[in-house]
Amino acid sequence: LRIGEYHFDNDYSDDGHGLDRAISAYSKILAMPEDRNYNLALYKLAWSYYRASRYPEALRYFAQLVQWSDDEQARTGRAGTELRSEAIQYLAITFAYDDWNENTTPDVQEGQPTGFLRIQDQNLLPQDRPWTLEVFQGLGNVYFEEAKYPLAIEVWRYILAHWPTTEHAPEITNMIARAYTRNNDQEHALSTRAELANFGIGTPWYNANNEHPAEQRMGEDLAEHALIDAATQFHARAQQMRQRGVMERDLNVVRQAQEQYRLAAQAYRDYIQRYP
């Protein structure tokens, strides 16, 4: 372990193989799963591959660390390693990185897969583990933080399609609405907020998450606010369109205003029925 740490931190030799030496040293520890430094060796091995721009190998060992941590928790009742959350984070960051061959040209411009396609590759990330969803969520978060809002929306929509009853569904739906707002797409932001009504009391999602009362409360709170917010926004848009249609004598705009009034009335009616 110490030899690996030396080469990881200090080996800047002319032959450029410092990280290779670190990888060699850390790999020796993986032959001893019972060693107390096993989880640290997994983490540093993944980091070494990441720094060496060998991203598929980095993904493999970050994933192994997450799985090992969960297996240890199941076996002992205690968290396997404090490094688990960082491993999830760097799995997401690696998928979000768009220049795996380090030639300063985004991979997609060279016909290479996007991060969204890579994360669905079974050879790069197991698709059937309990923690797979966490990595997808992390990728969406990275894209959102990098202001790549359409990419974040794409990932989050995939999550809702493949894990519709996840306890995080209301939060993810709300983040999609925020991403649309940040991307100046108010139409889709409004329609997405209306989807939050699907997480209130009595909905299939709510009934599937009785073991997650905190998330149920969040879902119900978001659902209630979504209904009344949608109603007032439809109403406000209807007022604006009606005023413009009358001033411009544009019958088409007046018809659009009528449709917005209809949507507002339906949203108000739904709110009253659900929260009498």
Side-chain angles (χ1 to χ4, degrees):
L1 178 67
R2 298 304 171 201
I3 291 171
E5 297 288 77
Y6 169 78
H7 291 297
F8 184 87
D9 292 329
N10 305 303
D11 188 347
Y12 301 103
S13 51
D14 293 338
D15 63 10
H17 291 302
L19 286 173
D20 290 336
R21 297 186 182 99
I23 289 169
S24 176
Y26 292 137
S27 296
K28 299 290 191 295
I29 303 171
L30 300 191
M32 299 174 284
E34 301 303 319
D35 189 90
R36 64 189 180 90
N37 292 311
Y38 181 81
N39 65 318
L40 180 58
L42 269 176
Y43 180 76
K44 294 305 292 280
L45 184 60
W47 249 110
S48 299
Y49 279 123
Y50 183 87
R51 279 183 49 189
S53 302
R54 296 169 61 178
Y55 298 112
E57 292 96 332
L59 291 170
R60 182 185 313 135
Y61 288 104
F62 279 130
Q64 281 191 27
L65 177 59
V66 175
Q67 187 61 54
W68 178 88
S69 180
D70 288 357
D71 290 344
E72 282 295 292
Q73 182 163 21
R75 184 176 68 87
T76 67
R78 299 188 304 274
T81 174
E82 295 178 355
L83 298 170
R84 183 189 185 281
S85 60
E86 288 188 40
I88 291 287
Q89 179 184 6
Y90 275 96
L91 282 165
I93 289 171
T94 303
F95 281 115
Y97 186 56
D98 64 355
D99 187 16
W100 278 22
N101 58 9
E102 303 289 1
N103 66 352
T104 72
T105 300
D107 294 337
V108 68
Q109 294 182 18
E110 300 179 310
Q112 299 298 315
T114 62
F116 179 58
L117 289 177
R118 281 176 171 148
I119 200 173
Q120 298 174 63
D121 185 345
Q122 176 69 35
N123 295 319
L124 295 175
L125 182 75
Q127 300 294 300
D128 57 353
R129 306 296 169 82
W131 47 266
T132 301
L133 171 59
E134 296 179 60
V135 185
F136 274 87
Q137 282 184 269
L139 178 60
N141 293 340
V142 172
Y143 281 146
F144 184 84
E145 290 166 3
E146 293 178 350
K148 297 176 180 178
Y149 303 119
L151 296 179
I153 291 167
E154 185 177 37
V155 174
W156 286 329
R157 284 294 184 194
Y158 181 91
I159 292 174
L160 294 178
H162 287 76
W163 293 278
T165 59
T166 172
E167 67 268 27
H168 304 294
E171 177 187 355
I172 291 170
T173 304
N174 194 48
M175 288 300 297
I176 292 173
R178 288 183 60 193
Y180 277 126
T181 299
R182 294 276 187 94
N183 206 42
N184 296 315
D185 186 346
Q186 300 304 325
E187 187 76 28
H188 282 97
L190 183 57
S191 63
T192 302
R193 286 196 183 92
E195 294 175 25
L196 290 167
N198 297 326
F199 306 115
I201 294 174
T203 62
W205 174 87
Y206 192 94
N207 294 335
N209 281 278
N210 289 327
E211 295 181 0
H212 303 283
E215 285 76 10
Q216 282 182 323
R217 287 192 295 272
M218 175 186 288
E220 174 61 14
D221 187 57
L222 288 171
E224 180 177 356
H225 285 87
L227 270 178
I228 196 63
D229 287 348
T232 55
Q233 289 187 52
F234 282 132
H235 196 170
R237 291 173 65 183
Q239 300 283 69
Q240 293 168 2
M241 286 182 177
R242 178 183 178 280
Q243 183 178 19
R244 196 183 68 172
V246 170
M247 291 180 61
E248 298 175 1
R249 297 174 179 270
D250 189 330
L251 188 59
N252 185 51
V253 175
V254 172
R255 289 197 182 102
Q256 292 178 35
Q258 282 184 311
E259 174 62 15
Q260 294 298 307
Y261 277 125
R262 186 190 68 78
L263 293 172
Q266 182 62 51
Y268 284 130
R269 186 178 296 111
D270 290 345
Y271 184 86
I272 291 170
Q273 289 175 348
R274 182 168 291 183
Y275 307 104

